[in-house]
Amino acid sequence: MKRLVLLAVLAAFVFGTAATASAADIKATGAYVFEFVWKDQSFQDSSNDSKFDVYQRLRTKFEFVANENLKGVLYTEAGTSTWGQDPKNGSDITNWTLKAGYIDFNWPGTQQNIKVGHFGVALPAAVGGSIIQDDEAPAVMLSGPITDNVSYLASWVRSDKAGVERNESSMDLWIGALPVTFDGVSVTPFFAIGGIGDNYTTGDAGSALGGLRAFNATTSEEVDSAWWAGVAFELTMFDPFVFKADVNYGRLDADEDTGDMSGWYAAASFAYTGWDFMTPELFFAYTSGEDGNGTSDLESERMPILSNDWALGSFFFGGDWGLEGSIDSENDGSGMGFWVVGLSLKDISFFEGLKHTVHVLYAQGTNDESILDAGYTGNNSVKFGKTLLEDDSIVEIDLNTEYTIYDELTAYVELGWISADWDSKWEDQGIDTEDEAYKVSMGLAYEF
């Protein structure tokens, strides 16, 4: 009997030790956001859009940490949901999704990092985020240092698979970047090459390329290739003066000219960080637009995008604190073709826990009005209120406030107003245009 007891104790000890050795520390973080929004942002008198809605989104990230070199991540999201929608009728409140799930580890004895799974993939950017790609995607990514000043990033991304039965109808993305950093200056050149399946068409590309393709392309044209290149630059050696810049170019080629796209983007910002109570920043951005020859040479002059998270200001181009408080929340590419200049006064603070930010910007389109001659109605790449023609312009003023209730709980209030001047050609398309838009957004964010 004593032997049986001893064997049982030894077995418990062995199994307990094994369980301890294989156990992982669990770290939970997340962001629970609730937003109350009053808005009128359709720029149409006849719009029936709801003027007041309440939104919520619940994100929770679990990190299963084996050691400093190995962890698994599970990132879930519920929402964004709209209060008052009946779950039985398809409300987003039941829309629990996997935002990310991956393994993250360093190769033993090195600083070379490997990620495998579904996680955030962003191309290098210095101003406003990447206008090409900044979103979760299934991928394999390798990164690490080469020297003290030079590192690398290489990734394969499965951007799109158009159908289960069509194994060749897919788009892969091969990304490479070479960050170079010295005291006071950093330069990151990058490239991204699309590996296109034989049966991949411009219709399939609508899901992978931000919903954007040449405005008069059919859905049956096979895509031959796609690629992007650019550089992100940051200069801090003259601190407290900080200069940042981006230059990007992208091209998509199809079997027919109506599916071709090529264009470029440039942005710059200049900030002064020497004040404790405020950080002023000047910014500028430009994206190429349709040149007016679309009905003759058939090629689109707007840069193709993938799935971005780019914003300047906090209303027309995105950038709001919450969930549905900006016009460009879709980021579907139809807004490409513009230039914008503005001033931000960030983190204005005279009292502890209370901050304000002011944005003032002017934007104008770079798309020739002839894109409407090709047919506006139902065209996914031309949307009134987002696509800016050369004679379209907007002035935006934002006043945003945040108050820290606890370290983890923040209250937000955002006020936004836009005055627009629209080309009369929109009215020729039967659109009852309106020249103003506004929003009042307020809510809570619990980040833990």
Side-chain angles (χ1 to χ4, degrees):
M1 184 66 181
K2 291 183 179 180
R3 290 181 179 178
L4 293 176
V5 172
L6 181 59
L7 287 173
V9 171
L10 288 173
F13 177 80
V14 171
F15 286 121
T17 302
T20 301
S22 62
D25 294 329
I26 300 176
K27 179 182 177 182
T29 57
Y32 293 179
V33 179
F34 299 85
E35 182 180 25
F36 301 75
V37 185
W38 293 262
K39 62 183 178 180
D40 184 353
Q41 59 185 39
S42 67
F43 296 107
Q44 297 186 58
D45 287 331
S46 58
S47 173
N48 294 320
D49 292 346
S50 175
K51 297 298 189 291
F52 171 71
D53 276 303
V54 183
Y55 304 95
Q56 73 176 55
R57 184 182 64 203
L58 310 177
R59 288 178 172 174
T60 306
K61 178 189 288 186
F62 299 97
E63 296 184 57
F64 303 90
V65 183
N67 53 60
E68 61 182 6
N69 293 308
L70 172 62
K71 67 180 179 181
V73 178
L74 181 65
Y75 195 0
T76 63
E77 177 178 281
T80 300
S81 60
T82 305
W83 282 15
Q85 289 184 342
D86 186 353
K88 295 180 181 179
N89 294 325
S91 168
D92 284 341
I93 201 169
T94 60
N95 185 24
W96 288 84
T97 60
L98 177 67
K99 184 171 176 63
Y102 59 96
I103 299 172
D104 182 340
F105 66 98
N106 293 332
W107 192 257
T110 73
Q111 294 179 286
Q112 311 309 310
N113 181 257
I114 302 171
K115 293 186 179 70
V116 180
H118 190 99
F119 53 89
V121 178
L123 293 178
V127 181
S130 174
I131 203 168
I132 300 171
Q133 167 66 36
D134 187 351
D135 202 354
E136 287 79 22
V140 177
M141 180 179 291
L142 285 71
S143 62
I146 299 176
T147 68
D148 290 341
N149 304 108
V150 181
S151 56
Y152 75 94
L153 182 148
S155 182
W156 167 67
V157 183
R158 172 51 58 92
S159 294
D160 188 35
K161 193 168 183 66
V164 176
E165 301 298 329
R166 300 163 62 191
N167 293 327
E168 293 181 337
S169 184
S170 61
M171 177 178 176
D172 297 318
L173 192 66
W174 301 91
I175 298 173
L178 195 70
V180 180
T181 303
F182 294 93
D183 289 340
V185 62
S186 66
V187 181
T188 306
F190 70 88
F191 70 87
I193 299 174
I196 310 297
D198 291 340
N199 297 321
Y200 199 75
T201 69
T202 52
D204 299 327
S207 61
L209 294 172
L212 175 62
R213 56 180 181 271
F215 64 87
N216 51 354
T218 68
T219 60
S220 59
E221 299 169 14
E222 288 193 8
V223 178
D224 295 328
S225 63
W227 62 272
W228 296 262
V231 61
F233 176 82
E234 184 171 349
L235 182 68
T236 60
M237 67 172 56
F238 302 110
D239 183 66
F241 297 99
V242 177
F243 176 76
K244 300 178 181 180
D246 290 310
V247 178
N248 297 169
Y249 178 84
R251 181 169 185 85
L252 181 146
D253 289 305
D255 279 354
E256 303 293 336
D257 290 343
T258 52
D260 292 347
M261 301 182 67
S262 65
W264 63 281
Y265 155 79
S269 69
F270 182 76
Y272 179 77
T273 62
W275 294 333
D276 293 334
F277 65 93
M278 180 177 66
T279 301
E281 181 182 55
L282 290 167
F283 58 84
F284 172 81
Y286 180 96
T287 71
S288 58
E290 308 296 350
D291 64 5
N293 297 320
T295 55
S296 58
D297 66 14
L298 303 181
E299 179 176 323
S300 171
E301 285 78 30
R302 286 184 285 180
M303 182 175 69
I305 67 172
L306 292 161
S307 181
N308 66 21
D309 190 20
W310 180 90
L312 290 176
S314 58
F315 195 4
F316 189 84
F317 293 106
D320 57 306
W321 78 274
L323 308 176
E324 297 291 338
S326 66
I327 292 173
D328 198 29
S329 58
E330 297 178 9
N331 284 321
D332 62 0
S334 60
M336 296 294 285
F338 64 86
W339 65 268
V340 56
V341 61
L343 170 67
S344 294
L345 304 178
K346 299 180 178 180
D347 298 331
I348 303 170
S349 180
F350 300 101
F351 302 98
E352 185 177 356
L354 185 65
K355 292 183 180 180
H356 310 278
T357 294
V358 177
H359 303 295
V360 180
L361 62 86
Y362 174 85
Q364 190 167 339
T366 59
N367 294 298
D368 192 273
E369 64 179 17
S370 65
I371 62 174
L372 301 188
D373 295 333
Y376 163 73
T377 305
N379 195 312
N380 288 332
S381 67
V382 182
K383 293 182 179 179
F384 175 70
K386 290 186 65 176
T387 304
L388 295 177
L389 308 180
E390 290 176 343
D391 288 335
D392 293 334
S393 63
I394 67 162
V395 175
E396 175 181 326
I397 300 175
D398 306 311
L399 173 58
N400 307 327
T401 300
E402 60 180 85
Y403 176 67
T404 302
I405 302 173
Y406 293 101
D407 290 342
E408 300 84 6
L409 182 64
T410 305
Y412 293 88
V413 176
E414 285 193 347
L415 308 177
W417 175 78
I418 295 174
S419 176
D421 184 10
W422 300 109
D423 191 310
S424 60
K425 266 217 156 183
W426 291 108
E427 293 188 351
D428 296 340
Q429 298 291 326
I431 297 173
D432 187 12
T433 63
E434 188 177 81
D435 293 336
E436 290 187 336
Y438 71 85
K439 72 164 181 178
V440 178
S441 168
M442 55 194 305
L444 295 169
Y446 171 47
E447 298 181 83
F448 58 92

